[in-house]
Amino acid sequence: MSSRIFAQFLAVLALCVSQPASADQPDLRIVSESDLRFGSFAVLDRGYREVSAAGSVQSAGIFSVTNGDTGPARFTITYDRGNNGRRNLDLILHVVLSPAPVVTSGGIVARLSSYQTDLPGASRVAAGQIFEIAMPNCRTRICEKTFYVGGRLDIERNFGGARITVPIPIDVTLASVN
Amino acid sequence: MTQSPSARAAPGEATTQGNASATIVEPISVTAIDDLNFGKIAAAAPDGDGSVTIDPASNSASYSGSAKPACSASSCGTSPALFAVSGAKGRAYEITVPQSISVQPMRGAGSALTVSDLLPVSENRPERPYIGQLNTAGMDRVRVGGTLIVPGGTPAGSYRAEVPLVVSYN
């Protein structure tokens, strides 16, 4: 009985040893961690509010209803190299914020424009423009980069009020790994 | 020098969608409908002060001191000021009025009178003065009462003042 178990153990061990060491494929992800929040405000007929990547707020033609409910969007890019290698990687990523659609809800028309980020060299980016994010010295299996996005929301009010949600499509491409 | 397989992997791509959000509130507005009216008053004694108070909740007038109604109860025409307020459905708002206002004589000689203790009361939220509540149609009405001080020796005449009222979302 005991010799049979030993034989089975050897067989399994041999199977494991004969297989090559496996690694997952590298994986690039981007996650939206928080919305770009323009807060609550009243508009007579038209106005705008601009929230910077740092969170500062500028407005014209609107009346604030509440305070402290504004803030930039936050995104996190994650690169998983797929193995536990410790070789230093310098990653270059290309990011594109696509044009946001014009959103109409009841008598409210909202347009999102003038993207801003807190990334070096990309403080203001046009919709569709490629900008670069560097992730140097990536030494762990998973490396992350978090950045903030601001923008300007123009509102036309024909009647009433509305809760507005404007999508911000964002794409990231791994441009180089060295 | 060797490279790990991940370092030579084809460039990856990822996409997501964030959101921008805002709540646009219908602006709040106020329209004057009726005046704050203290009616016809008789200052009974030349040397004694009196006052007339309009209660915005009950619309009733009460007199004290030398001030007496110079009319029958039904013909005095006393009333609180009435304002219509419109805005975002269901929202509460603050009502601001001055503590007192000066009432100027319209004709003839005489000194200005004072209306004090101006008190705004919302129809939809009468239990809390200075706070209004827009209903499901985004409407409310505000009544404003106060106390007119009538010093002794006040000459006969008509007196008039504007009652400013400011509403804002809270």
Side-chain angles (χ1 to χ4, degrees):
Chain A
M1 186 70 175
S2 60
S3 62
R4 191 189 307 168
I5 291 173
F6 180 68
Q8 287 173 348
F9 172 75
L10 282 180
V12 171
L13 184 65
L15 185 64
C16 291
V17 170
S18 67
Q19 289 213 339
S22 64
D24 294 335
Q25 291 296 309
D27 186 29
L28 182 67
R29 293 174 189 269
I30 182 166
V31 175
S32 170
E33 308 234 36
S34 65
D35 287 352
L36 171 52
R37 289 152 288 131
F38 287 95
S40 298
F41 50 84
V43 181
L44 282 179
D45 49 8
R46 63 182 58 226
Y48 74 85
R49 173 168 277 182
E50 189 163 359
V51 176
S52 78
S56 63
V57 178
Q58 282 189 318
S59 305
I62 70 171
F63 304 91
S64 293
V65 174
T66 55
N67 291 318
D69 56 352
T70 58
R74 190 170 83 242
F75 295 94
T76 295
I77 296 173
T78 304
Y79 179 75
D80 182 345
R81 68 169 72 193
N83 58 54
N84 290 316
R86 298 213 172 258
R87 195 180 72 81
N88 184 50
L89 299 180
D90 293 326
L91 309 172
I92 300 293
L93 306 163
H94 285 172
V95 182
V96 177
L97 289 157
S98 298
V102 176
V103 172
T104 301
S105 178
I108 304 293
V109 180
R111 291 179 177 83
L112 180 66
S113 64
S114 304
Y115 290 129
Q116 304 176 31
T117 81
D118 65 338
L119 297 165
S123 57
R124 288 190 177 270
V125 291
Q129 174 190 339
I130 296 173
F131 60 96
E132 201 171 270
I133 294 180
M135 293 173 67
N137 302 317
C138 175
R139 296 173 185 273
T140 56
R141 172 166 180 156
I142 295 172
C143 295
E144 290 184 345
K145 177 76 173 182
T146 295
F147 63 100
Y148 292 86
V149 174
R152 168 175 161 156
L153 190 68
D154 283 80
I155 298 293
E156 286 178 36
R157 194 184 76 88
N158 299 305
F159 60 86
R163 164 91 180 156
I164 293 288
T165 301
V166 183
I168 306 175
I170 183 166
D171 297 283
V172 57
T173 303
L174 185 61
S176 71
V177 182
N178 293 310
Chain B
M1 179 179 174
T2 59
Q3 283 192 317
S4 68
S6 59
R8 288 196 302 263
E13 290 183 2
T15 187
T16 191
Q17 178 180 292
N19 286 310
S21 61
T23 300
I24 293 89
V25 177
E26 188 172 350
I28 192 167
S29 65
V30 60
T31 305
I33 297 176
D34 285 335
D35 293 340
L36 171 58
N37 195 336
F38 290 94
K40 293 180 180 175
I41 304 157
D47 298 326
D49 294 348
S51 66
V52 184
T53 297
I54 305 293
D55 180 0
S58 65
N59 297 344
S60 62
S62 58
Y63 299 82
S64 70
S66 62
K68 306 292 180 191
C71 50
S72 66
S74 59
S75 64
C76 273
T78 59
S79 65
L82 180 63
F83 297 86
V85 182
S86 64
K89 300 169 185 174
R91 283 197 77 103
Y93 62 93
E94 291 181 8
I95 310 163
T96 305
V97 293
Q99 199 165 22
S100 64
I101 55 174
S102 182
V103 186
Q104 302 297 326
M106 292 176 65
R107 292 186 296 273
S111 302
L113 304 181
T114 299
V115 175
S116 62
D117 300 328
L118 287 164
L119 182 67
V121 173
S122 152
E123 273 189 0
N124 295 337
R125 205 167 181 175
E127 72 281 4
R128 285 196 66 187
Y130 301 100
I131 299 293
Q133 178 76 49
L134 296 163
N135 62 16
T136 54
M139 305 297 294
D140 192 12
R141 300 205 302 177
V142 174
R143 290 187 165 81
V144 180
T147 297
L148 174 68
I149 309 297
V150 185
T154 298
S158 295
Y159 295 80
R160 187 175 183 85
E162 290 190 352
V163 180
L165 181 140
V166 177
V167 293
S168 58
Y169 291 122
N170 57 7

